[in-house]
């Protein structure tokens, strides 16, 4: 079956620090990969996606590269802001399965 | 704004009761997913409907049921409620065609069972 493993949180950083949140996956078939963000009190929002190997998804200064050889999709941002404090979910979906697979989420706390 | 609406925003009810949560997908999206989010279990996929038909089932209890109507809105029915059913319930919609599988989530319904 499919699975997504994310690094445990919380991740605590100072403003302007570099962010990496690790995500690795196992999948039967060729997945599309996603990062979603959930701000306090809100639903999840799509942050970025990649649909094939070596694709780089990017949005709002966040980036993630689809690495098929290491089955990874790590989220990075060069300089985090307090407003980036949220929970980040890595997810995948294969064409052969109707069921999306989410990681458990990683909480990010950014201090001024 | 994702374009997905959910009502009600909050619901407080007693054990043993039955509630209905409602979701309207983004315009043009045929697929609706329901999720339960709790602190200890994370985000749990419950069920998916596509154009009115059930397509996939996840960790949905027998006390829970859902349906998708011809206008594509969906309802999640929770019955014989228990304290452990207290959680956030999200619906999401997706095109689910042409390789486009990203989901758009509603703001959620917070259910409190007392």
């Amino acid at each position: 079956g499919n699975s997504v493993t994310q690094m445990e949180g919380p991740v605590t950083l100072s403003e302007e620090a570099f962010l990496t949140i690790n995500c690795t996956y196992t999948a039967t078939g060729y997945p599309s990969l996603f990062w979603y963000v959930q701000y306090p009190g809100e639903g999840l929002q799509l942050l970025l996606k990649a649909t094939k190997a070596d694709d780089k998804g990017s949005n709002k200064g966040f980036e993630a590269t689809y690495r098929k050889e290491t089955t990874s999709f790590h989220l990075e941002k060069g300089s985090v802001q307090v407003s980036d404090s949220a929970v980040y979910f890595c997810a995948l979906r294969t064409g052969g399965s109707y069921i999306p697979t989410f990681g458990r989420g990683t909480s990010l706390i950014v201090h001024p | 704004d994702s374009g997905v609406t959910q009502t009600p925003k909050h619901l407080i009810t007693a054990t043993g009761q039955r509630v209905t949560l409602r979701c309207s997908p983004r315009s043009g999206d045929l697929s609706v997913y329901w999720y339960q989010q709790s602190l200890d279990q994370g985000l749990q996929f419950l069920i998916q409907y596509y154009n009115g038909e059930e397509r996939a089932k996840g960790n949905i209890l027998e006390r829970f049921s859902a349906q998708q109507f011809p206008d594509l809105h969906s309802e999640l029915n929770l019955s014989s409620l228990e304290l452990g059913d207290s959680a956030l319930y999200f619906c999401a919609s997706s095109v689910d065609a042409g390789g486009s599988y990203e989901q758009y989530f509603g703001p959620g319904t917070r259910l409190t069972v007392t």
Side-chain angles (χ1 to χ4, degrees):
Chain A
N2 298 337
S3 68
V4 173
T5 303
Q6 287 182 239
M7 59 191 294
E8 293 273 336
V11 173
T12 305
L13 295 172
S14 297
E15 206 164 24
E16 299 184 4
F18 185 87
L19 168 71
T20 300
I21 299 178
N22 290 337
C23 171
T24 57
Y25 67 89
T26 58
T28 52
Y30 200 21
S32 294
L33 302 173
F34 307 91
W35 277 101
Y36 290 86
V37 58
Q38 184 177 28
Y39 298 103
E42 299 183 12
L44 280 72
Q45 301 175 25
L46 178 67
L47 181 58
L48 52 84
K49 70 173 185 178
T51 57
K52 60 183 188 295
D54 300 324
D55 264 2
K56 178 184 283 188
S58 61
N59 186 24
K60 299 181 181 179
F62 291 89
E63 293 183 340
T65 301
Y66 189 143
R67 300 285 187 203
K68 189 179 177 193
E69 64 276 12
T70 54
T71 61
S72 64
F73 193 53
H74 304 320
L75 183 68
E76 297 181 335
K77 187 175 185 182
S79 175
V80 293
Q81 306 300 310
V82 172
S83 58
D84 294 326
S85 298
V87 180
Y88 292 81
F89 291 88
C90 184
L92 70 82
R93 172 75 184 274
T94 57
S97 170
Y98 299 127
I99 300 177
T101 303
F102 282 80
R104 289 190 62 85
T106 301
S107 174
L108 171 65
I109 301 169
V110 181
H111 294 294
Chain B
D1 184 359
S2 67
V4 178
T5 60
Q6 286 188 251
T7 55
K9 195 169 175 63
H10 301 279
L11 200 47
I12 301 174
T13 189
T15 54
Q17 295 298 305
R18 172 189 170 95
V19 297
T20 297
L21 313 183
R22 183 187 168 103
C23 168
S24 293
R26 284 190 328 155
S27 177
D29 286 356
L30 299 180
S31 195
V32 170
Y33 301 76
W34 285 98
Y35 294 88
Q36 180 191 60
Q37 186 179 41
S38 58
L39 282 173
D40 56 343
Q41 293 290 322
L43 192 67
Q44 297 288 316
F45 168 72
L46 296 178
I47 197 165
Q48 182 205 5
Y49 279 81
Y50 182 84
N51 202 19
E53 299 290 326
E54 181 186 304
R55 191 182 240 188
K57 252 184 180 176
N59 300 318
I60 188 166
L61 300 172
E62 284 193 14
R63 301 183 285 109
F64 296 1
S65 65
Q67 54 185 328
Q68 187 179 27
F69 295 87
D71 66 352
L72 300 178
H73 91 271
S74 178
E75 292 181 356
L76 179 67
N77 300 296
L78 315 177
S79 62
S80 304
L81 285 167
E82 302 175 359
L83 295 177
D85 298 327
S86 295
L88 270 167
Y89 291 84
F90 289 106
C91 81
S93 72
S94 175
V95 173
D96 263 11
S100 182
Y101 300 126
E102 59 267 29
Q103 296 176 65
Y104 295 87
F105 283 76
T109 294
R110 180 174 292 280
L111 174 66
T112 303
V113 183
T114 61

